[in-house]
Amino acid sequence: MIQIRKNREPGELIQYRKQPGATYENMSSDLKQQIVESLLKEQGHLCAYCMRRIPEDRKLPTGVKPVTIEHWYPRNPQSKDDIGQGLDYKNMLAVCSGNRGCGDERNMTCDAHRKNKEIKVNPCDARTLSTITYSSQGLIKSTDRDIDGDLNIRLNLNCQALSLPENRKKVLDTMLMTIHKKYPNGDISQYCDTLIKKFEGIEDNKTPFVGILLFWLKKHSSYNRQ
């Protein structure tokens, strides 16, 4: 998971919010599509939570949307606290299908698994991402107990049914193989700096599961030695 920097919201959403009685539920499909396109662009076409490519490169069950507008603070939280979060662009994220339609909730991820539960980890707030770590086997975890619960329980980001840890490991192993070929011996810290800039500089079509790559690179960069 990496920080998402929000862009300017679509002007059409601003105008819609001014209409009397405007609600997310009554929003037109055209406006929702404009919001989706804006979210995908600022997220580099990666799911805000699991960091898979969206739309996904696989056939989905009938009726399952390839992209969903997720509200980080639930539109209908258990507290019933309605503060206008349904139409707040800063509260919106683009997420994958979450494996909806699989027939087993235990194999769902992201917002499909989370439902209306409130969470602490926020892809738009770097402070909540600072405790996230990855293992060499591709497991995502956190030293913060609440955030670790978000990652592993509420969002189910180590879901084996979707091979999330395995896919993270493949991406990491591919990068490590490239680094080893280029620098079989010696200091790799400067090259890690270069790769960090490369990955962070990609705005659209970001590398899937890039969070584990940046985590590893930052541990081995020259900045980590200062």
Side-chain angles (χ1 to χ4, degrees):
M1 196 178 295
I2 61 174
Q3 184 182 9
I4 295 170
R5 292 176 172 81
K6 303 296 287 183
N7 294 329
R8 181 178 298 177
E9 64 182 317
E12 292 81 358
L13 176 58
I14 297 174
Q15 294 303 315
Y16 177 70
R17 216 167 29 233
K18 295 177 181 178
Q19 297 180 17
T23 65
Y24 181 81
E25 290 79 2
N26 293 330
M27 186 186 296
S28 70
S29 58
D30 287 343
L31 178 52
K32 285 185 179 180
Q33 184 58 35
Q34 290 182 50
I35 293 172
V36 164
E37 291 174 0
S38 180
L39 294 172
L40 288 177
K41 184 175 181 180
E42 68 190 16
Q43 293 176 203
H45 283 79
L46 298 183
C47 175
Y49 294 137
C50 72
M51 305 206 74
R52 289 193 296 161
R53 171 77 65 210
I54 48 175
E56 300 163 51
D57 185 21
R58 67 186 181 105
K59 186 176 181 180
L60 298 175
T62 301
V64 175
K65 296 179 180 179
V67 184
T68 300
I69 297 176
E70 156 78 332
H71 291 81
W72 178 79
Y73 188 80
R75 288 187 291 122
N76 300 298
Q78 295 175 348
S79 65
K80 307 299 181 183
D81 185 15
D82 184 356
I83 54 175
Q85 61 267 29
L87 296 177
D88 183 358
Y89 184 73
K90 292 181 180 179
N91 191 46
M92 297 179 184
L93 301 166
V95 294
C96 66
S97 70
N99 208 24
R100 286 182 174 87
C102 68
D104 190 340
E105 187 175 310
R106 293 172 298 180
N107 293 332
M108 296 182 190
T109 68
C110 306
D111 73 312
H113 190 271
R114 169 201 177 185
K115 297 184 177 178
N116 267 353
K117 300 181 183 73
E118 295 181 32
I119 56 177
K120 180 178 178 181
V121 67
N122 184 350
C124 296
D125 186 349
R127 295 172 299 176
T128 71
L129 307 180
S130 61
T131 63
I132 292 178
T133 63
Y134 296 86
S135 75
S136 60
Q137 297 304 307
L139 295 172
I140 187 173
K141 51 189 176 179
S142 172
T143 55
D144 182 296
R145 185 174 66 177
D146 292 334
I147 292 180
D148 194 65
D150 289 339
L151 302 176
N152 285 284
I153 300 174
R154 288 169 281 281
L155 294 170
N156 197 24
L157 297 187
N158 283 318
C159 179
Q160 297 292 341
L162 285 179
S163 303
L164 292 182
E166 178 183 350
N167 287 330
R168 291 190 199 104
K169 184 179 185 300
K170 285 180 180 178
V171 170
L172 178 62
D173 287 347
T174 298
M175 183 186 74
L176 295 182
M177 187 179 302
T178 299
I179 293 176
H180 180 69
K181 286 182 178 179
K182 193 173 183 66
Y183 293 94
N185 299 295
D187 187 3
I188 64 169
S189 61
Q190 295 294 326
Y191 186 56
C192 289
D193 296 345
T194 299
L195 289 180
I196 290 171
K197 291 179 180 178
K198 172 187 173 183
F199 286 126
E200 290 186 336
I202 298 174
E203 295 184 358
D204 204 356
N205 291 319
K206 291 181 181 294
T207 303
F209 309 108
V210 69
I212 191 171
L213 302 184
L214 290 171
F215 173 75
W216 191 93
L217 289 169
K218 288 177 180 178
K219 283 204 308 181
H220 295 83
S221 72
S222 62
Y223 301 107
N224 194 48
R225 300 179 181 182
Q226 296 176 1

